[in-house]
Amino acid sequence: MLVVYDSGLSGYHEIKPISYTTEEWYNDIGKFTLIVAPSKYNIAHLKKGAILFRTVIKQAMVITRVSPDTSQDRITINGFTANWILNKRAIAVAATIATVEADIYAAITSNLRELPNVITATLKALTESFSAILHGGQMLTEFIKILDAVELGQKMYLDVKTKKLVFEIYKGRDLTTGSHAVIFSDEQGTARDLKIEDDESTFSNVCYVIGTLSDETSVVRTVGTATGADRFEYWIDSRLKQGNDEPIEDFYARLDSRGIAEIAKRVRDIGFSVRVDPGEYGKRYTMGDKVVCVSKRFGIAFIAKINGVKRTQQAQSETVNIILGEPQLTLIGEIKLWLK
């Protein structure tokens, strides 16, 4: 069931869509398009700032655009996954990041400034670490860069009991071996509509970041460790300058953060999408999990993380496609190893 809560989360109303398509990502902002009839009921409740909530899968979205179309007799509503709300706030209160989960939660708490109905999840005691000082920039945008570096995901869900939007950092599972292994195979019919894209035209994995010390001398930091033919370099003048009283380690951390941000923009565009059973996603496997995909047709087998999910709901039908990114490719001759 799809319902809409008002912006204060005080009440909800059921919505009957003509169509509803969504995209969600392991560590990014997703989006949606909802098409409904132009009834007085829909006009009254589907307003900017309202929260769409799909009860079965606990999916929360925020409405940012409402577009009535009299020529086609419908209303088109667009918006983003609820985590987008964090970008309403900048990091005005500086935050030191060491233990990623705990320190990002602390940074959020320090920078909410009365942003209503937003809290952080209970700590899972994740141990991933990263060294950075954050000051300035939009909250979620800055957090995404760090979470990318340590391969953690993030999402915001609606707690219907407390009427709060809960921001959560999490880590996927390894489902490549053992009794709970998940294998998508075109031969077995579990990897329908497999699509493969691979583009490295803008890819970089090593960044040289130039900055200026307080004595006006230049310094270059190298971010990334790839070597040989797998090394794709990029040079950037960060225009960052060390503060008069800023420790050199803190300035280096700022330069490194800039390098990480640039590398994050220049990823190799490798993507695999597979249409899956809507009843299995969220139960056997979910966002962030590592799974195995085998295709005899394309002559490959690979392990990859579920980086995204795209859903399309129309009338009584629904399709679910998962996006598998950054695969570890292997030869078709090794498929038997994956299937054991």
Side-chain angles (χ1 to χ4, degrees):
M1 183 171 66
L2 181 66
V3 301
V4 60
Y5 283 82
D6 58 45
S7 58
L9 300 177
S10 59
Y12 70 87
H13 306 273
E14 184 176 352
I15 299 297
K16 295 182 178 180
I18 296 173
S19 68
Y20 186 42
T21 60
T22 63
E23 293 182 10
E24 297 172 275
W25 303 98
Y26 181 57
N27 182 33
D28 209 338
I29 298 172
K31 61 183 179 180
F32 76 88
T33 298
L34 170 67
I35 297 176
V36 296
S39 65
K40 291 182 179 179
Y41 178 89
N42 287 333
I43 293 171
H45 299 303
L46 293 168
K47 297 180 178 294
K48 288 186 291 185
I51 301 296
L52 281 173
F53 182 63
R54 193 168 170 197
T55 56
V56 175
I57 59 175
K58 303 186 185 305
Q59 179 192 67
M61 301 280 186
V62 58
I63 296 174
T64 60
R65 182 179 180 182
V66 179
S67 305
D69 186 341
T70 56
S71 65
Q72 298 192 41
D73 197 33
R74 68 184 189 182
I75 303 174
T76 301
I77 295 99
N78 300 99
F80 302 103
T81 43
N83 56 355
W84 170 85
I85 291 174
L86 283 186
N87 270 349
K88 286 187 172 183
R89 295 292 184 266
I91 304 177
V93 178
T96 299
I97 306 298
T99 303
V100 172
E101 180 197 23
D103 291 339
I104 285 181
Y105 284 175
I108 291 171
T109 302
S110 298
N111 283 281
L112 284 178
R113 289 181 291 282
E114 300 180 356
L115 185 63
N117 302 315
V118 173
I119 62 174
T120 56
T122 302
L123 282 171
K124 300 182 184 66
L126 299 176
T127 59
E128 282 75 7
S129 61
F130 189 86
S131 178
I133 297 175
L134 300 180
H135 194 192
Q138 304 312 116
M139 273 212 287
L140 186 59
T141 300
E142 297 303 314
F143 298 154
I144 284 173
K145 300 169 188 175
I146 294 173
L147 294 170
D148 267 343
V150 296
E151 298 186 358
L152 291 176
Q154 49 79 22
K155 61 183 177 181
M156 184 173 278
Y157 63 89
L158 174 63
D159 185 328
V160 295
K161 292 183 179 179
T162 63
K163 299 295 191 297
K164 298 292 185 183
L165 291 166
V166 185
F167 180 79
E168 179 183 20
I169 294 172
Y170 67 101
K171 189 175 186 177
R173 302 166 295 171
D174 188 339
L175 300 179
T176 60
T177 60
S179 59
H180 298 292
V182 174
I183 301 171
F184 297 108
S185 167
D186 56 2
E187 184 182 22
Q188 297 174 6
T190 55
R192 293 168 291 176
D193 299 341
L194 175 65
K195 297 179 182 179
I196 303 175
E197 295 181 358
D198 187 356
D199 179 8
E200 63 178 25
S201 59
T202 61
F203 175 64
S204 294
N205 56 10
V206 174
C207 187
Y208 295 103
V209 187
I210 187 170
T212 305
L213 298 177
S214 56
D215 63 3
E216 301 300 328
T217 59
S218 295
V219 62
V220 177
R221 296 285 292 177
T222 304
V223 179
T225 58
T227 60
D230 294 326
R231 185 181 178 99
F232 292 75
E233 299 180 347
Y234 183 71
W235 181 278
I236 181 172
D237 183 352
S238 71
R239 302 187 184 279
L240 294 176
K241 184 174 181 179
Q242 180 188 17
N244 291 332
D245 299 321
E246 182 179 14
I248 189 68
E249 294 81 5
D250 292 351
F251 181 57
Y252 285 165
R254 285 205 290 141
L255 292 177
D256 291 349
S257 294
R258 181 62 184 275
I260 291 168
E262 288 300 319
I263 290 175
K265 296 176 186 176
R266 300 174 179 278
V267 296
R268 182 179 181 184
D269 187 9
I270 304 178
F272 293 75
S273 66
V274 180
R275 183 159 59 93
V276 299
D277 184 344
E280 289 191 348
Y281 182 81
K283 296 179 181 178
R284 288 191 62 207
Y285 46 85
T286 191
M287 198 82 75
D289 291 344
K290 287 185 177 180
V291 296
V292 176
C293 192
V294 176
S295 174
K296 281 192 173 182
R297 178 184 177 187
F298 293 107
I300 57 171
F302 60 87
I303 291 174
K305 183 185 297 179
I306 300 176
N307 274 346
V309 58
K310 298 182 180 181
R311 301 174 184 268
T312 301
Q313 183 183 11
Q314 291 181 318
Q316 301 301 315
S317 66
E318 180 180 17
T319 59
V320 176
N321 286 272
I322 59 172
I323 311 302
L324 305 169
E326 297 299 326
Q328 302 167 16
L329 292 173
T330 186
L331 298 176
I332 195 68
E334 298 178 25
I335 286 178
K336 292 181 180 179
L337 295 177
W338 301 124
L339 295 177
K340 286 183 179 179

